[in-house]
Amino acid sequence: MKNSRSLNNVTFKAGPIIYWLSREQRVRDNWALLQAQEYALDRQVPLAVAFTLAPHFLGATLRQYDFMLRGLAQTAASLVQHNIPFFLLKGDPGTTLLAFLAEVEAGALVTDFDPLRLKRQWKNQVLARVQIPVVEVDAHNIVPCWLASGKQEFGAYTLRPKIHRLLPDFLDEPPPLEKHPFPWPGTAPAIDWSQTLAWVAPDPRVPPVSWLQPGEDAARKMLQAFIRDGLSRYADDRNDPNLQGQSNLSPYLHFGQLGAQRVAWEVQGANAPAAAKQAFLEELIVRRELSDNFCYYNPDYDSFAGFPEWARKTLDQHRPDPREYLYSLAEFEKARTHDALWNAAQQEMVRRGKMHGYLRMYWAKKILEWTASPEEALKIALYLNDRYELDGRDPNGYVGVAWSLGGVHDRAWGERPVFGKIRYMSLSGCKRKFKVDQYIAWVEGLGQQES
Ligand code: FAD
Ligand code: FO1
């Protein structure tokens, strides 16, 4: 398949095909699952899915594990209906998966692409120890990351033409998964999902959200609601936090409960103004794939060293600048700054698990302004983003923060204290763009609901 590439040159063995599901936690529109089934059909062997559940994952709390596991339970049930057993392997991914592959005498392993360092470490651990083919499928990007570009791109303006040239070959409607005709000998152990969550025992201080339901079906409903009610006004409304003009798809895309190709396919075919569709697809395809490009080709994607040279230079020059305000992680986390808008954005994230996209830029940039160094700002922004956001621990997050603090995929702007030539955003600028007081009041209203 066109989204696949072999990670080792080993001939297939006779046994069943295993799909190591990780980033793409869905049945529908999942090219990695479709590739695994194609191999199994060609060889007339059974097919199974394995998920390796890590007890800790980049600071994920109860909020994210609850969302993920409830979605995974639906995906597991749907796989079983397709004659494809789902195996939940708890513990260190490398060792648990290797033991499983040996136990079932797997003929080949299919894995889904993920540019994050931790995920690549898991994959390399397995690659070093197996004697079966390992095939990687990019089922997250519409144009596979390694085909869109073979290097780190400077920005959307350099990646966009490469993606648009290949899009016609990749943007079609994914085929359905077949009911697998070669049954698995025996059955997978039944999974007690509440016991599984208890086994992970994630930090309960960040509770699940109630305004968003996890899983493939809820994701599809959210997409249809957005196409019906939000798409047409997306270009105008998406940057106004008072208008709820965004799609709310990022948690589903992050956990792979919804495929970006499905979103693009249905948006493209929707009855909405071309400008609105174009604005949305630019974000969904170009900006999102730019994030994977950055994390895949830049090993320092989550540190100051990963910023472009001009940005590191200008930030270094302004290290000695006096800071008008200085806040600790605790003061940021408790939304105790002098800025009511910043505090409201922080509260929205803490209470709803999703901050409005326009405010995420302002929120991160103010952390740069109110900390002693860019390194400390980076640490605090990533920590808070990944602790409270449902869509955190994602290439989009590392890039979103690096764009805000370190000019990644951006250009130099007029020089000023602390920021140097990094693009600046101000409260007065926000006031010109939307009714700040209305947003602050709305977030306060959230507070009353929660308590
Ligand atoms: P919509 O506006 O409806 O966009 C639809 C989809 O397009 C999004 O789900 C996303 O996949 C993609 N998209 C939109 N804007 C961007 C963007 N700027 N960069 C990359 N892809 C984009 N996004 C995350 O998924 N996880 C994060 O942890 C995250 N952290 C961020 C931190 C900062 C400081 C900034 C500035 C941005 C961050 N973003 C992150 C990017 C963006 O803000 C979110 O993707 C978006 O707000 C998600 O809400 P939505 O799905 O309703 O967006
Ligand atoms: N992927 C896994 O394969 N196993 C896990 O236990 C796991 C936990 C997890 C928790 C929070 C979270 O946001 C993501 C998590 N993921 C896990 C990874 C996720 O599926 C994505 O692959 C990456 O986070 C996005 O690149």
Side-chain angles (χ1 to χ4, degrees):
M1 277 178 176
K2 54 197 176 186
N3 307 54
S4 308
R5 66 176 175 178
S6 168
L7 297 184
N8 60 6
N9 294 324
V10 172
T11 48
F12 277 69
K13 302 278 184 300
I17 305 297
I18 304 300
Y19 165 34
W20 180 16
L21 176 145
S22 173
R23 200 180 188 196
E24 314 307 329
Q25 300 176 10
R26 67 181 177 281
V27 170
R28 279 188 290 240
D29 311 322
N30 182 340
W31 285 111
L33 180 55
L34 290 165
Q35 174 67 84
Q37 182 165 62
E38 185 185 82
Y39 287 145
L41 291 174
D42 289 353
R43 286 163 184 75
Q44 307 198 348
V45 295
L47 166 64
V49 168
F51 181 83
T52 48
L53 179 61
H56 311 287
F57 189 86
L58 301 175
T61 66
L62 175 59
R63 174 172 289 173
Q64 294 90 14
Y65 271 105
D66 166 77
F67 192 87
M68 183 178 82
L69 292 175
R70 283 164 58 204
L72 216 43
Q74 294 172 33
T75 297
S78 174
L79 282 166
V80 169
Q81 279 151 24
H82 286 84
N83 259 351
I84 302 168
F86 178 89
F87 291 88
L88 181 69
L89 308 176
K90 296 191 286 199
D92 168 61
T95 38
T96 56
L97 184 76
L98 285 165
F100 176 72
L101 293 174
E103 185 194 326
V104 303
E105 294 175 331
L109 179 69
V110 175
T111 171
D112 47 42
F113 172 75
D114 191 325
L116 296 190
R117 184 179 308 113
L118 177 61
K119 304 295 285 301
R120 295 169 78 167
Q121 283 163 357
W122 291 2
K123 203 166 290 183
N124 290 334
Q125 209 186 336
V126 170
L127 255 177
R129 307 266 298 280
V130 290
Q131 280 75 38
I132 55 174
V134 180
V135 175
E136 183 175 64
V137 184
D138 186 345
H140 204 73
N141 297 300
I142 297 167
V143 177
C145 187
W146 57 81
L147 293 183
S149 169
K151 65 178 180 57
Q152 182 182 332
E153 295 291 334
F154 291 107
Y157 68 99
T158 59
L159 183 64
R160 187 179 301 111
K162 298 180 181 180
I163 285 191
H164 280 280
R165 194 171 46 246
L166 289 167
L167 216 46
D169 299 339
F170 289 93
L171 182 43
D172 46 22
E173 183 166 21
L177 182 77
E178 292 178 40
K179 193 172 174 72
H180 202 63
F182 306 104
W184 187 268
T187 53
I191 298 167
D192 174 340
W193 290 97
S194 50
Q195 191 277 331
T196 301
L197 185 63
W199 176 83
V200 175
D203 186 340
R205 289 171 293 175
V206 185
V209 298
S210 55
W211 64 279
L212 198 67
Q213 290 310 309
E216 284 195 57
D217 296 341
R220 215 161 166 106
K221 288 199 185 82
M222 188 64 85
L223 171 60
Q224 279 149 6
F226 171 66
I227 288 177
R228 192 186 58 238
D229 309 331
L231 177 60
S232 297
R233 53 191 177 81
Y234 181 78
D236 308 325
D237 292 2
R238 69 191 170 109
N239 281 331
D240 183 335
N242 293 314
L243 298 181
Q244 299 302 320
Q246 292 191 283
S247 66
N248 284 327
L249 295 179
S250 62
Y252 300 114
L253 291 166
H254 166 69
F255 284 104
Q257 295 173 3
L258 178 65
Q261 189 170 336
R262 169 60 59 187
V263 177
W265 179 257
E266 304 223 354
V267 163
Q268 199 173 42
N271 175 16
K277 296 200 287 194
Q278 203 278 330
F280 182 81
L281 292 175
E282 168 70 11
E283 300 297 334
L284 176 82
I285 301 174
V286 178
R287 293 248 54 121
R288 206 175 50 88
E289 305 213 4
L290 190 58
S291 299
D292 266 30
N293 170 275
F294 182 72
C295 293
Y296 186 58
Y297 290 113
N298 187 329
D300 301 312
Y301 60 76
D302 53 354
S303 68
F304 181 84
F307 297 170
E309 209 258 331
W310 69 265
R312 279 182 278 119
K313 200 157 137 269
T314 193
L315 286 166
D316 281 342
Q317 278 163 358
H318 289 271
R319 282 183 190 277
D321 295 4
R323 269 61 174 166
E324 201 184 341
Y325 298 93
L326 274 180
Y327 296 110
S328 66
L329 168 61
E331 286 165 318
F332 281 120
E333 189 162 18
K334 298 260 175 294
R336 288 213 186 105
T337 75
H338 67 286
D339 178 335
L341 174 59
W342 191 94
N343 295 341
Q346 174 67 18
Q347 293 283 44
E348 178 185 20
M349 177 176 70
V350 168
R351 289 171 183 161
R352 276 169 56 87
K354 190 172 181 294
M355 187 191 297
H356 188 276
Y358 184 82
L359 285 170
R360 288 178 103 159
M361 299 184 281
Y362 179 76
W363 172 87
K365 285 175 179 292
K366 290 301 156 192
I367 295 176
L368 173 65
E369 192 169 348
W370 303 330
T371 44
S373 73
E375 289 83 357
E376 189 190 350
L378 194 56
K379 208 157 117 260
I380 289 175
L382 286 176
Y383 170 80
L384 293 174
N385 183 78
D386 289 357
R387 181 167 172 78
Y388 292 103
E389 294 280 0
L390 275 170
D391 64 15
R393 291 156 307 290
D394 190 283
N396 283 345
Y398 297 111
V399 170
V401 169
W403 176 91
S404 303
L405 309 185
V408 166
H409 302 149
D410 201 0
R411 63 174 174 83
W413 292 72
E415 188 142 13
R416 56 177 304 121
V418 179
F419 282 75
K421 298 176 187 146
I422 300 293
R423 181 197 299 248
Y424 184 70
M425 286 175 79
S426 65
L427 178 57
S428 52
C430 289
K431 286 181 172 162
R432 282 195 296 276
K433 283 208 71 135
F434 62 91
K435 295 192 180 70
V436 163
D437 295 342
Q438 181 182 333
Y439 170 74
I440 293 170
W442 173 72
V443 173
E444 265 152 29
L446 285 182
Q448 265 74 39
Q449 277 162 11
E450 296 293 306
S451 52

